[in-house]
Amino acid sequence: MPSSLPVRRLLDLDFADLPLQGMLALLAKRPAEAPFGYIVTPNADHLVRLSRDPALRPLYDEAMLRLLDSRVVARIAGLLGLDAPAVVPGSDLTAALIASLPPDEKVTVLGLPPTALEQLASRTGLRRIAHHNPPMGFDRDPAAFEAAVRFIEENPARYSFLAVGSPRQERVAQAVAARGRGRGVGLCIGASLLFLTGEERRAPGLVQRAGMEWAWRMLQDPKRLARRYLVDSPAIIALLRREARQRKG
């Protein structure tokens, strides 16, 4: 990535400060055969988890790019007098990148059950998808984790979509980058592909722009997401307030 890339620092992370279209143009210029680099898209949940577990920091520090995934975080930061970077949700980036690809472009996907993969191919027209869906808990099984890393290395593509949840996907991406055998760009994008397959419904644009996509997602799957959004993620407010005080002091 160019040294002239604009960045903004927030919560001890340097975020790329480019809107979606600027990011697409930047990635399009990167050669497909370039050494593997990965993109992380932290949202409020990721940032809170990172503050509680510093051992996760290298996963973000070693990323090629960090993109702020949360309009809520950006708005709270602004209200507190902090300059937030441009918001580029991973789901928006994923949809735009895939829409820009010709049908015969090779892509690599880590995650997704076979039925969802079929839907992805059907809805996007992509014909060359290399796919590996690691087993549950693969990040705690050295052999399964190694298989996931090797799959990315052995199936190089301009774009590899890592859709196995955070921080598992970031750990795989970090390992691929550290070994130096992979090529292209790895995108740690969580559930973004599920929106394209129709397996999950994304919030309408108006809800997204209002910063309420988190509430929409929680209502779709309250058993899994209620604690994340109602108990864990609100701690982001305290983190941003502390940063605002430190900068003023």
Side-chain angles (χ1 to χ4, degrees), residues 29-179:
K29 293 178 182 177
R30 192 172 193 265
E33 67 276 9
F36 184 87
Y38 65 100
I39 298 174
V40 293
T41 57
N43 57 27
D45 181 54
H46 299 169
L47 293 168
V48 169
R49 187 192 309 130
L50 178 58
S51 74
R52 294 172 176 171
D53 186 359
L56 296 174
R57 178 156 294 278
L59 303 180
Y60 296 88
D61 288 342
E62 295 173 22
M64 179 177 70
L65 287 171
R66 288 156 293 279
L67 307 178
L68 182 60
D69 187 80
S70 174
R71 292 183 176 89
V72 172
V73 170
R75 289 179 182 177
I76 295 173
L79 290 172
L80 294 171
L82 297 168
D83 290 329
V87 176
V88 181
S91 296
D92 290 351
L93 180 61
T94 299
L97 282 174
I98 288 182
S100 73
L101 299 178
D104 61 348
E105 177 85 21
K106 181 180 178 182
V107 299
T108 296
V109 173
L110 186 73
L112 291 186
T115 53
L117 185 76
E118 292 174 5
Q119 287 298 317
L120 180 67
S122 173
R123 290 178 174 230
T124 64
L126 292 173
R127 297 193 291 262
R128 300 178 63 203
I129 303 176
H131 175 241
H132 174 59
N133 189 26
M136 188 76 69
F138 78 96
D139 55 320
R140 298 187 299 273
D141 179 337
F145 185 83
E146 170 66 16
V149 172
R150 279 186 21 235
F151 180 78
I152 301 294
E153 293 174 337
E154 294 171 0
N155 292 274
R158 178 180 291 276
Y159 301 120
S160 294
F161 297 93
L162 284 67
V164 290
S166 181
R168 294 174 294 277
Q169 58 202 16
E170 290 82 5
R171 288 184 173 131
V172 172
Q174 181 198 41
V176 176
R179 293 189 351 181

Side-chain angles (χ1 to χ4, degrees), residues 184-196:
V185 176
L187 297 107
C188 301
I189 43 75
S192 297
L193 293 177
L194 292 177
F195 298 132
L196 297 181

Side-chain angles (χ1 to χ4, degrees), residues 216-228 230:
W216 171 277
R217 290 202 68 199
M218 184 180 69
L219 290 173
Q220 304 301 307
D221 192 353
K223 185 175 181 180
R224 182 172 67 89
L225 298 176
R227 177 177 177 84
R228 176 191 299 182
L230 298 180

